[in-house]
Amino acid sequence: MPLALLALAVGAFGIGLTEFVVAGILPQIAQEFGVDIPTAGLMATTYALGVFVGAPVLTVLGAKVPRKTMLIGLAVILTLGNVITAIAPTLSIALTGRIITSFNHGAFFGIGSIIAASLVAPDRQARAIAFMFSGLTMANLVGVPAATWLAQVYDWRLVFWLSAAIGVVTIVSVALLVPQIKAGKAIALRRELRAFTDPQVLLAMGITVFGPAAFFTSITYIAPMMIEEGGFSEAGVARLMVLFGLGLAVGNWVGGRFADRSLFGTLFVTLAAQAAILMVFWAGVENAVVASASVFLMAAFGFATVSPIQKLVMDRANAAGAPTIAASVNIGMFNLGNALGAWAGGATIAAGFGLASPNWAGAILSLIALALAFIARLGADAEYARAAAE
C-alpha cells in the first residue's frame, strides 16, 4: 500500500479515538457535570450531527484548496476542538468543543476515500478505503480502551488532551507522507447535486444511516449497561472496549476483502447477522460470556458494512459524474446514523425500558438497513436488465 494511505490511517486513528471514546467514559462525564446518562449521551449525538452538517460544507469550501493543505487544516480543527473539550468548565462548552471537532470528520474521510481509491488499481479500491479506515479500528482496539482506563484512574479530561496530541501527530504525518496534490476544481453544485436524485445513491445512503446506527445504539450506553445490568466492573468495561475495537478491526478487514467480490452479498450477510447478535445481546446481557461475545460480533458485523457502503455510493455518484460531495456526505450520513443510534438508545432508556433496551432498538435499525439493501439490489438488477435489453 502507498505511504500516503498510512498518513490517512493516522488521521483516522485520531478521529476514531475522538468519536468513540465517549462510550467508555460516559459515567465519568455525567458525574462531573451532574447530569443523567441520556443527557451525557449528547456528547455523542452532537458530535455525530456536527459531522453530518460539516461534511458537505467543508467539502464545498475546500474544493479549490490543495488536498494536502486541506487535510492539514482539518487536522488542526481536530486538535483545536479536543483542546476546548478538555478545558470545558460546563457541559455546554464541552458540547461546543465536540461540535467544532466534528467538522473535520466527514471532509477528512470523504477526501481520504477519493485519494485512497485513486492510489490503487480498481480491483483493490475497497481494500484501500478499508486500509484508511483501519486507523479508526485501531483507535477502538488500542486507543479507546487505554483512554477509558485513563479516565477511570485519572481524569476524563486527560482523554481529550490525548486526542489533541494525536491531532498534532496527524498534522505531522500528513505533511511528511501525503504527496503534493493539485487543488481540485470548484465544485459545480448543480452537477454534484445530481447524484442525490439517483435512487440508488439515496438507498445506499439510507443503508449508511441505519446500518451503523444499529451498533451505535448499543455501544453508546455500553458502560452504564454493563455495570448496572451485566455486573461488570469499570475495569471490565475497559476490557469490553478492547473486544469492541477488535471486532471493528476484524469487520473492517472482512468488509474490505469481501466487498470487492460481492458487494451486496456482503451487506446482506453482515446486516442480518448484526440484527441477530443485538437481539442475543439484549436477551443475554446478564451473562458475561454472551455479553462479551455480542460486543465483539456486533462490532465486527456492523463495521463490515462501512467500506462496501462507501464504495457503493462512490460508484453510483461517479456514474452520475458527481463524486465529490456524495463521498463526503455519505460519511456525514454514517454519523447521522450514529446520532440516530445514540438518540434511540437514550430514548428507550428514558422511556423506562431499561439500560439493555438499546440492543433491541439497534436490531430494529439493522433490519431497516437490510430491507434497504434488498431494494437497492433489486434496483441495480433492474438497471442491468434494461441496459442489456438496449
Side-chain angles (χ1 to χ4, degrees), residues 18 85 113 248:
T18 297
T85 305
S113 294
L248 292 181

Side-chain angles (χ1 to χ4, degrees), residues 296-324:
F296 170 79
L297 290 173
M298 77 172 182
F301 287 119
F303 210 75
T305 66
V306 174
S307 56
I309 294 173
Q310 183 73 354
K311 187 173 187 299
L312 178 61
V313 171
M314 289 170 61
D315 287 347
R316 294 297 306 188
N318 273 322
T324 308

Side-chain angles (χ1 to χ4, degrees), residues 21-368:
V21 73
V22 168
I25 64 175
L26 207 59
Q28 288 84 3
I29 294 173
Q31 181 178 9
E32 172 150 345
F33 290 126
V35 298
D36 59 19
I37 291 295
T39 301
L42 290 173
M43 290 283 282
T45 305
T46 53
Y47 181 94
L49 290 175
V51 176
F52 176 66
V53 174
V57 172
L58 285 180
T59 299
V60 172
L61 293 178
K64 297 185 71 175
V65 178
R67 297 304 189 197
K68 185 170 183 174
T69 303
M70 186 66 182
L71 289 177
I72 291 174
L74 293 170
V76 170
I77 293 174
L78 171 68
T79 305
L80 175 62
N82 276 310
V83 168
I84 292 173
T85 305
I87 64 176
T90 66
L91 179 60
S92 296
I93 295 177
L95 294 177
T96 300
R98 293 289 286 172
I99 292 170
I100 291 172
T101 309
S102 70
F103 283 172
N104 88 94
H105 188 128
F108 191 98
F109 280 118
I111 293 170
S113 294
I114 294 171
I115 292 174
S118 70
L119 293 173
V120 297
D123 64 344
R124 296 179 61 85
Q125 287 180 348
R127 273 171 280 185
I129 294 170
F131 186 88
M132 177 187 68
F133 278 103
S134 69
L136 191 152
T137 59
M138 287 303 298
N140 281 278
L141 182 60
V142 179
V144 171
T148 300
W149 176 81
L150 284 174
Q152 292 167 354
V153 175
Y154 298 103
D155 184 6
W156 67 267
R157 296 178 185 276
L158 182 60
V159 171
F160 291 100
W161 284 115
L162 176 62
S163 296
I166 298 298
V168 174
V169 174
T170 301
I171 295 170
V172 174
S173 64
V174 170
L176 293 177
L177 299 178
V178 173
Q180 292 292 342
I181 301 174
K182 293 180 180 180
K185 297 179 180 179
I187 291 177
L189 281 177
R190 182 175 298 178
R191 187 190 68 189
E192 289 277 343
L193 291 175
R194 281 205 309 261
F196 299 96
T197 65
D198 185 330
Q200 289 295 102
V201 172
L202 296 178
L203 282 170
M205 288 185 173
I207 301 168
T208 304
V209 172
F210 290 102
F215 75 81
F216 211 81
T217 302
S218 174
I219 199 63
T220 299
Y221 302 97
I222 196 69
M225 181 193 305
M226 298 316 302
I227 290 172
E228 298 296 330
E229 299 284 341
F232 277 60
S233 65
E234 288 188 340
V237 171
R239 288 192 291 271
L240 280 179
M241 297 309 295
V242 173
L243 285 175
F244 179 72
L246 183 60
L248 292 181
V250 171
N252 185 58
W253 179 83
V254 169
R257 186 173 184 84
F258 286 94
D260 280 328
R261 300 180 183 179
S262 175
L263 195 152
F264 280 108
T266 301
L267 288 176
F268 294 156
V269 171
T270 54
L271 290 170
Q274 180 180 231
I277 291 300
L278 283 165
M279 289 303 296
V280 170
F281 192 10
W282 172 62
V285 68
E286 295 180 357
N287 184 297
V289 174
V290 171
S292 298
S294 296
V295 167
F296 170 79
L297 290 173
M298 77 172 182
F301 287 119
F303 210 75
T305 66
V306 174
S307 56
I309 294 173
Q310 183 73 354
K311 187 173 187 299
L312 178 61
V313 171
M314 289 170 61
D315 287 347
R316 294 297 306 188
N318 273 322
T324 308
I325 291 181
S328 292
V329 167
N330 196 54
I331 298 298
M333 290 292 182
F334 177 89
N335 282 272
L336 179 61
N338 291 356
L340 173 64
W343 172 84
T348 60
I349 294 171
F353 290 108
L355 287 170
S357 60
N359 294 325
W360 60 254
I364 293 173
L365 295 177
S366 191
L367 291 175
I368 293 173

